């Protein structure tokens, strides 16, 4: 379901190809499947399941990715501040 969150979020941003056109949902899903070596089976079913979630659970994977990025940012910032004090 995490890959469905990513694909759907990127798709909803719009204009993701160089020509400014949005690829079809199927072609976009195929690129994800080939790139990451998995199968959605049916992207439409996956997206339906995603949108059946309660609003506070809609972006579990994206929230986890954000938390990891913020943690790493804080770690690097702390290290940089520590190096400055030396």
């Amino acid at each position: 379901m995490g890959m469905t969150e990513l694909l759907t979020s990127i798709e909803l941003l719009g204009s993701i190809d160089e020509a400014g056109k949005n690829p079809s949902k199927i072609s976009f899903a195929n690129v994800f499947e080939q790139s990451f070596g998995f199968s959605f089976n049916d992207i439409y079913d996956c997206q339906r399941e995603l949108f059946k979630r309660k609003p506070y659970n809609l972006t579990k994977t994206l929230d986890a990715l954000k938390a990891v990025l913020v943690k790493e940012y804080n770690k690097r910032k702390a290290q940089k501040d520590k190096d400055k004090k030396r």
Side-chain angles (χ1 to χ4, degrees):
M1 189 54 68
M3 294 304 275
T4 303
E5 283 181 37
L6 290 173
L7 180 135
T8 303
S9 297
I10 293 169
E11 179 186 26
L12 291 173
L13 285 173
S15 299
I16 58 171
D17 72 354
E18 293 177 9
K21 298 177 185 175
N22 291 328
S24 72
K25 191 176 306 268
I26 297 294
S27 64
F28 195 34
N30 288 337
V31 168
F32 258 61
E33 290 173 338
Q34 291 171 6
S35 298
F36 299 107
F38 74 100
S39 176
F40 283 113
N41 293 326
D42 183 347
I43 187 60
Y44 295 104
D45 285 344
C46 291
Q47 285 186 324
R48 247 188 311 280
E49 290 301 312
L50 174 66
F51 288 112
K52 281 184 184 178
R53 288 179 176 179
K54 296 187 189 279
Y56 58 84
N57 282 335
L58 197 56
T59 58
K60 290 182 195 180
T61 301
L62 296 173
D63 294 341
L65 290 171
K66 179 182 177 185
V68 171
L69 284 171
V70 169
K71 183 178 178 181
E72 181 64 21
Y73 169 81
N74 291 335
K75 179 180 157 186
R76 290 181 183 203
K77 186 175 187 250
Q79 183 63 40
K80 186 177 179 182
D81 292 344
K82 184 177 174 184
D83 291 344
K84 280 185 179 180
K85 289 181 181 180
R86 289 184 185 179

